[in-house]
Amino acid sequence: MRITEHRHIRGSRYSQRPRCRFTALVALALTLSSLTACRPTDGTPDDSGKPVLSPMSAEEARAIKIDDSRPGAVSPLPTRSGPLHLDITCDIDAPSALVKHDNQGDIVWAKKTTPRISGVCTSETMTPQSAAVRLLFTSTSGYAVVSPDTHYASFILLPSNATSDNRLPGDKRTRDFTIADQRAYVVVIETETGRTVRTDEVKGLILGQVLTNDTLAVETSQAYYPGGNGHGTITTYSLAKPTAKATTIPTDKWLVGATQDSLLLAPSNMSQGRYGTQPLTRLSKGGDVVGTIAGVTGVYRGGWVERVRDAGTPPPKDSASGPPRAVPTELVHLDSGVTTDVAGLKVEEVALPTAAGLLVSRETTTGEGQNRETTSTPQFWLSAADDGHRHTENLEQFSTK
């Protein structure tokens, strides 16, 4: 599970620096008529308290400065027909923006959401959910996720009772309340059209959310952990039948990812880095255990996990400060069963033109001290659009650092 350093396609318009890239994208847009067909709304929640996704005007869409480099950012979300960018402001009262591009860089649709998407501004600690913001800094179970087939995307919105009052001092603008009082919304959309599939109010602290190809699953608790007095609960919602009754699954584990048709649970939260191995449990959408996998060190979009093949081998020590890190030796695509040797290689998430993917590179380091440089050379890439086998063609499409 990776969120802060996504590779982009060299030669595409997404590979340039954020402001320049967006300017090029808009300059080449053939038409924005689909964006102006509806009169923009003021973006405020309706009388029922539910969030609103409002079409954006052409002028608003042109003005957005896409920045995918912000710490904790998971943008762009990969889809089958080009990237879905998130523009998430740290202004608690301002809406978030969603901008879908096609693979030629043209804008397909753009919307703003009120309340805004939660989980970015780490300084907002006046509510239980914002205090737990780093739990959602993950691409596989965080504040913005995409289904393995990329047909759906889901977003956790700022708690509806966390509104600001500019007349109060800065540290008092958001009302304090307990976890028991916590209320938030989760919104699922179709990535191709921006159409809202379902909107659900969630009670309690949200520890994570995932999407299978036809189900939304949200984990909540009454503490900052699912075990013990946290009383963790996973609630699953059908995307094919939005009116169907939700199913609840009690758990003391963390929801960390998903495959096409199963949920992935781990004994420990996996958003803070890779410092050891742990077993993953695969659950059906109804809560039945359908498999386990040992020695896991990380989870990725598209149904991959990285693992240490011999989970009994202790992690190697290096000269860096902090605890030793477990070094994975293979990737496993859980839906197809395909395994890929990555011993000694670096694995990164990439947003491919038609799917989520992984880029596998070899790093070499030269020099010492201030002259120390690390070069990353792509070796192969994997795509969730197939069975997860190696691709060595078109390696030049990936940028390097």
Side-chain angles (χ1 to χ4, degrees), residues 71-143:
V74 299
S75 181
L77 299 180
T79 81
R80 64 184 66 178
S81 61
L84 173 57
H85 290 276
L86 283 63
D87 178 55
I88 305 175
T89 176
C90 281
D91 181 348
I92 195 171
D93 292 323
S96 300
L98 304 175
V99 183
K100 174 67 170 67
H101 297 96
D102 62 23
N103 284 318
Q104 287 68 49
D106 298 331
I107 297 176
V108 179
W109 57 263
K111 291 189 176 184
K112 56 186 176 183
T113 174
T114 304
R116 68 174 178 81
I117 297 171
S118 183
V120 176
C121 301
T122 57
S123 61
E124 295 173 7
T125 58
M126 290 79 79
T127 69
Q129 192 65 62
S130 55
V133 62
R134 292 190 179 277
L135 297 178
L136 301 176
F137 276 16
T138 162
S139 62
T140 57
S141 58
Y143 60 85

Side-chain angles (χ1 to χ4, degrees), residues 281-292:
T281 301
R282 295 181 65 179
L283 288 187
S284 70
K285 292 164 286 188
D288 297 322
V289 176
V290 295
T292 59

Side-chain angles (χ1 to χ4, degrees), residues 317-321 372:
K317 295 183 178 181
D318 55 34
S319 59
S321 60
R372 184 182 178 91

Side-chain angles (χ1 to χ4, degrees), residues 1-8 139-140 273-274 297-308 325-333 339-352 356-364 374-384 388-390 398-399 401:
M1 100 185 25
R2 297 293 180 272
I3 60 170
T4 59
E5 292 184 287
H6 293 294
R7 299 270 184 164
H8 304 294
S139 62
T140 57
R274 185 178 66 218
T297 59
V299 181
Y300 293 99
R301 288 169 173 163
W304 281 283
V305 298
E306 61 180 15
R307 66 186 296 266
V308 178
R325 296 172 66 87
V327 179
T329 57
E330 69 178 4
L331 291 168
V332 182
H333 190 261
T339 61
T340 304
D341 187 358
V342 293
L345 300 175
K346 179 182 179 180
V347 180
E348 299 173 274
E349 286 186 334
V350 290
L352 299 173
L358 299 178
L359 176 64
V360 181
S361 305
R362 186 176 302 279
E363 290 189 319
T364 56
T374 299
T375 302
S376 184
T377 305
Q379 303 295 300
F380 55 90
W381 53 278
L382 312 174
S383 173
H389 66 271
R390 296 185 184 211
F398 299 103
S399 63
K401 294 184 178 180

